[in-house]
Amino acid sequence: DLTGGTKGRVRRSAQNSKGWYDDELTKNKRDWKEGFDLGAQDGLLDGQGLDGFNQWPDAAFGVPLFEPACREYFGATERVAQVLTRAMSQGLGMPPDHFDREFDWHTSYLRLNYYPVCPEPEAHRCISPHSDAGAVTVLSQSAVQSLQVEHDGEWHDVPPVAGTFVINTGDVMQVWSNGLYRAPVHRVIAQKHLERYSSPFFYNPNYATDYAPIASTVSAERPARYRPINWGRFRMARFAGDYADVGAETQISDFEIGQLSDGELVPVPEVMSP
């Protein structure tokens, strides 16, 4: 219920991906939503890193419980994501802690989404079709049905179920698994009469992580599908596309072996000091 001017005091920028916004792009199309992003830099919520720093609402906002609640929820969903990642490692024939070293300075973030009513839902998308860039997503959503997943060329509803999370495999895990785990394409449709809320937690590796198919997923019959990708550079390229129209959005398909693209990424901007 805060005014736009008040929220604008913690608006994110091209140099800082953390904060409030109402102008995000997905596949170069503006989302019908507002959001607030907060996250870890090198594993710490109080740090400053490649894609910015957290902007916590101060006392003047009148929401004293916001920061402690977000910190607690961030920690809880981080633990859920770690359990899932360890299980997925075992599913690939590796020890459960195989991926742990890639998250010791993790860059995960929590997104708080608000989807207002839309007078023309057929003309807009709350979020256009996409897959998540990180390793694993842990999503909670309100009781309004809007999330859909694509399968075999058709869209299917993902009904909200009280007391549960929706789990998405992300692009990083698809690369690590050499395509054995697939990052699902999903979207959020607009609603004419109902507001909706969701809070996805994106479990992302260290900025320095170079991810590629792991040894247990590669064989003569199933050669590696991807060249190594640096997460820090990939993350910054994806944020640049979220913030502004920079042309074709960077995808892991740009790094498929045999593709003509060389996976060139946009230059990394300097980080703005708090």
Side-chain angles (χ1 to χ4, degrees):
D1 295 330
L2 300 176
T3 66
T6 301
K7 289 181 284 189
R9 290 159 51 192
V10 290
R11 179 182 282 275
R12 72 182 187 183
S13 68
Q15 293 77 35
N16 186 8
S17 70
K18 305 302 186 288
W20 174 81
Y21 52 91
D22 61 356
D23 53 1
E24 176 149 283
L25 304 177
T26 302
K27 299 293 183 67
N28 296 327
K29 296 180 180 179
R30 185 165 176 170
D31 296 340
W32 191 271
K33 71 172 187 181
E34 295 182 31
F36 186 93
D37 287 0
L38 60 106
Q41 302 290 339
D42 297 327
L44 302 173
L45 285 176
D46 297 312
Q48 176 183 340
L50 188 62
D51 65 345
F53 55 89
N54 287 321
Q55 301 188 81
W56 299 109
D58 58 29
F61 283 76
V63 285
L65 299 181
F66 180 80
E67 181 177 345
C70 286
R71 287 179 178 273
E72 181 178 1
Y73 187 78
F74 186 97
T77 47
E78 178 188 350
R79 291 189 291 274
V80 172
Q82 185 181 62
V83 169
L84 293 168
T85 302
R86 288 176 172 175
M88 296 174 87
S89 178
Q90 289 183 288
L92 297 173
M94 303 298 289
D97 62 354
H98 176 76
F99 294 122
D100 283 7
R101 64 182 181 274
E102 308 296 351
F103 294 90
D104 50 2
W105 299 97
H106 71 95
T107 60
S108 309
Y109 66 98
L110 173 64
R111 171 165 289 176
L112 308 177
N113 288 319
Y114 165 60
Y115 305 101
V117 295
C118 178
E120 298 180 279
E122 300 82 8
H124 300 277
R125 289 278 182 268
C126 289
I127 307 179
S128 293
H130 68 287
S131 59
D132 294 340
V136 173
T137 303
V138 180
L139 169 75
S140 63
Q141 57 178 332
S142 60
V144 176
Q145 171 63 60
S146 285
L147 179 63
Q148 296 183 324
V149 63
E150 188 272 334
H151 182 67
D152 290 339
E154 297 183 355
W155 290 103
H156 302 270
D157 290 339
V158 181
V161 179
T164 68
F165 292 117
V166 175
I167 306 300
N168 278 345
T169 300
D171 290 340
V172 169
M173 188 60 73
Q174 178 168 321
V175 171
W176 272 334
S177 71
N178 204 23
L180 294 174
Y181 295 136
R182 294 179 57 192
V185 175
H186 52 286
R187 69 182 185 183
V188 179
I189 60 174
Q191 297 286 345
K192 190 170 185 177
H193 303 291
L194 297 171
E195 298 175 312
R196 180 177 180 267
Y197 298 86
S198 71
S199 53
F201 172 84
F202 302 100
Y203 195 43
N204 297 336
N206 309 335
Y207 288 129
T209 292
D210 294 320
Y211 53 107
I214 63 174
S216 65
T217 69
V218 178
S219 64
E221 295 76 23
R222 190 181 179 86
R225 292 178 53 189
Y226 302 96
R227 298 188 298 278
I229 307 170
N230 175 260
W231 169 249
R233 294 184 67 215
F234 189 89
R235 162 64 183 153
M236 293 309 300
R238 285 293 287 264
F239 173 64
D242 291 345
Y243 186 79
D245 187 345
V246 296
E249 188 179 67
T250 299
Q251 304 287 340
I252 58 172
S253 58
D254 298 333
F255 297 85
E256 289 184 359
I257 293 174
Q259 296 296 314
L260 295 178
S261 170
D262 63 1
E264 182 178 356
L265 300 181
V266 299
V268 175
E270 295 183 0
V271 177
M272 182 174 66
S273 299

